[in-house]
Amino acid sequence: MSDDTAPVSPSALPAPPSPLAARAAYWAYDVVGGLAAVLAVPAWPWLRRRGLAEGIEERLGRVPAAAAALPAPPIWVHCASVGEALSAAPLVARLRERCPQRPLVVSTTTTTGRAVARDELRADVATLLPMDALRVVDRVFRRVRPRALLVVETELWPGLFRAAARVGAPIAIVSGRLSARTVERGRWAGPLLPAALARVAAFGMQTLADAERIVALGAPSDRVHVTGSLKAARVPPSAGPPPLGGLAERRLVIAASTQPGEEEFVLQAFAPLRRVYRDALLLVAPRRPERFDEAAALLDAARLRWVRRSAVAAVGPEVEAVLLDSLGELTRFFPAAWAVFVGGTVAPLGGHNVLEPAAHGRAVAFGPHTENVAAAAEALSAAGAAEAVRSPGELARYWDGLLARREAAEAAGERARAVALARAESLQRTWELLAPLLGAT
């Protein structure tokens, strides 16, 4: 690994698979993938009824017309979904600046992520990732022939790596993170993941722990570096007008990227605050669009006077809560907030991006499950810019301390901003890793 990481014990390093074992592992992977595809056929009508079949042509290997007509071999960037696509924004901007002759293809595994790739990243081609098994993705890469493949965070797709290697595209993992649970599960795959990781030219991992885990999973240790999280490199735009009228007069608290069970958690915390602070306003932003109606039912059950963001241009003094039922707007609300709770942390999901509200100068609260963002959460807490809460009562007390005095909220927010800025060198470290692979400067 690079000099800024501690060495990994040789005993922790798995032996690389033999070529025969690697071929056998890939053959088994394709067979299992084929069986899964056949077994999914009876579920097709159900998938269509639930809207889960959207983009099936791209998943089955249809090359978008725009991809077939690109003027030069593109750089292919793969992100899982919305959060990863947004975190890739600084890297995408750097690629456009330093490699202007290279079109950008951005693939995602979700349709909401594809929308962000198209509308926010302005990719030349935004597409869903083709199916990994049965060599479907191989056929797509033979048509598109990308110059390089950059994979954001934790997307370890053996077929994708094989497809890129076969067309001579160097592969890099950027802003990589890996949980201990993923490592344990990955070992059940035998030689498959070590064979896939051997095809990767460079690994830019978020933390030393992530670097050690990817090596334990089979990555060649001399290719692994700690570069930090690209989420820390996102620079907030200059503050503009609030996205809703009436926010400037309110003590706004935000529940960001909430997951099942977390809306109830936040609503319980907010209940005593709205009795103390008549101008308090709660904005609830579920992580996934398919949960908007579920969150709406919970707001009804809490007996709050609430509105949908999509239905109003301003909030009146009688409104107590807003349901953010739109995509791509959450960060525009951060500058107007007094405090932000980040979801995926009460639900045992490892946590969502805690640095984004911090970069906007907002104090942060989160639950106990921050495994995915542990280093950032610890840095914010140590700076007095964040609070880990285990109950609605603890969240209510933390928010009460901030809402009681605007000066306290602003001071904690400035400490949060300082932590975010201190961690923003990740883009340059990532670029130094990628530039030799891309033939760029």
Side-chain angles (χ1 to χ4, degrees):
M1 289 187 285
S2 63
D3 292 340
D4 56 348
T5 67
V8 176
S9 168
S11 62
L13 303 180
S18 68
L20 181 61
R23 286 195 297 271
Y26 264 104
W27 178 84
Y29 181 67
D30 286 329
V31 169
V32 171
L35 290 173
V38 171
L39 293 174
V41 171
W44 179 248
W46 179 82
L47 293 172
R48 289 184 65 88
R49 284 196 302 272
R50 294 182 60 87
L52 299 177
E54 182 182 350
I56 190 63
E57 297 87 357
E58 291 175 7
R59 297 188 195 279
L60 292 178
R62 181 182 66 81
V63 178
L70 292 173
I75 296 172
W76 188 305
V77 180
H78 177 65
C79 312
S81 190
V82 172
E84 293 79 9
L86 288 173
S87 76
L91 178 59
V92 166
R94 181 65 63 89
L95 289 169
R96 292 195 186 285
E97 174 190 350
R98 302 294 178 86
C99 304
Q101 77 282 11
R102 295 289 176 191
L104 292 179
V105 174
V106 179
S107 63
T108 65
T109 54
T110 67
T111 54
T112 51
R114 181 180 59 180
V116 170
R118 180 184 63 241
D119 301 334
E120 301 292 330
L121 301 185
R122 304 292 181 184
D124 296 285
V125 179
T127 184
L128 295 175
L129 183 69
M131 192 166 68
D132 201 56
L134 296 178
R135 302 181 185 266
V136 172
V137 70
D138 293 68
R139 293 195 292 273
V140 174
F141 268 54
R142 283 198 298 270
R143 290 284 305 279
V144 178
R145 304 196 74 82
R147 168 66 179 80
L149 169 65
L150 311 182
V151 179
V152 180
E153 291 204 11
T154 54
E155 293 287 278
L156 304 181
W157 293 104
L160 176 65
F161 293 174
R162 175 179 60 189
R166 285 185 169 177
V167 298
I171 306 163
I173 291 177
V174 298
S175 197
R177 63 178 177 85
L178 208 63
S179 68
R181 181 181 302 178
T182 300
V183 174
E184 290 304 314
R185 290 175 176 173
R187 285 176 173 145
W188 286 94
L192 178 63
L193 284 180
L197 295 174
R199 301 178 187 271
V200 179
F203 299 81
M205 308 303 290
Q206 293 187 15
T207 68
L208 176 59
D210 294 311
E212 291 174 336
R213 287 169 186 150
I214 200 75
V215 169
L217 204 55
S221 61
D222 60 337
R223 304 178 198 173
V224 179
H225 308 260
V226 176
T227 54
S229 170
L230 286 175
K231 288 178 179 176
R234 293 191 68 196
V235 178
S238 57
L244 274 179
L247 295 184
E249 299 79 27
R250 306 297 295 271
R251 298 175 202 248
L252 174 66
V253 291
I254 296 177
S257 301
T258 52
Q259 297 281 5
E262 293 183 330
E263 291 88 6
E264 296 97 321
F265 186 95
V266 171
L267 288 168
Q268 290 177 45
F270 185 68
L273 299 177
R274 67 187 176 102
R275 292 192 291 268
V276 176
Y277 306 102
R278 296 297 181 180
D279 59 345
L281 178 68
L282 172 66
L283 180 109
V284 178
R287 175 74 169 181
R288 300 187 182 281
E290 58 267 26
R291 297 195 58 249
F292 289 161
D293 290 343
E294 179 185 343
L298 293 169
L299 288 166
D300 280 335
R303 299 184 182 278
L304 288 171
R305 295 187 295 272
W306 67 276
V307 295
R308 288 179 178 264
R309 162 68 181 101
S310 60
V312 297
V315 292
E318 76 286 353
V319 175
E320 297 172 302
V322 177
L323 173 61
L324 185 59
D325 60 346
S326 59
L327 295 176
E329 275 200 312
L330 176 59
T331 57
R332 296 181 59 208
F333 283 89
F334 286 151
W338 286 46
V340 178
F341 169 82
V342 177
T345 57
V346 175
L349 299 172
H352 299 309
N353 187 1
V354 296
L355 286 171
E356 195 159 46
H360 286 270
R362 297 298 152 227
V364 182
F366 38 76
H369 297 287
T370 57
E371 295 83 2
N372 294 344
V373 290
E378 290 168 5
L380 289 168
S381 297
E387 185 86 3
V389 297
R390 293 181 175 274
S391 69
E394 289 184 4
L395 178 58
R397 286 191 290 274
Y398 181 61
W399 275 354
D400 182 40
L402 299 173
L403 296 183
R405 293 177 53 247
R406 184 67 191 243
E407 296 83 358
E410 292 295 340
E414 285 307 311
R415 292 193 292 271
R417 193 198 310 274
V419 171
L421 290 175
R423 302 174 66 83
E425 304 90 358
S426 55
L427 176 60
Q428 183 58 31
R429 290 195 294 266
T430 299
W431 184 252
E432 290 171 357
L433 189 69
L434 296 180
L437 301 181
L438 302 174
T441 59

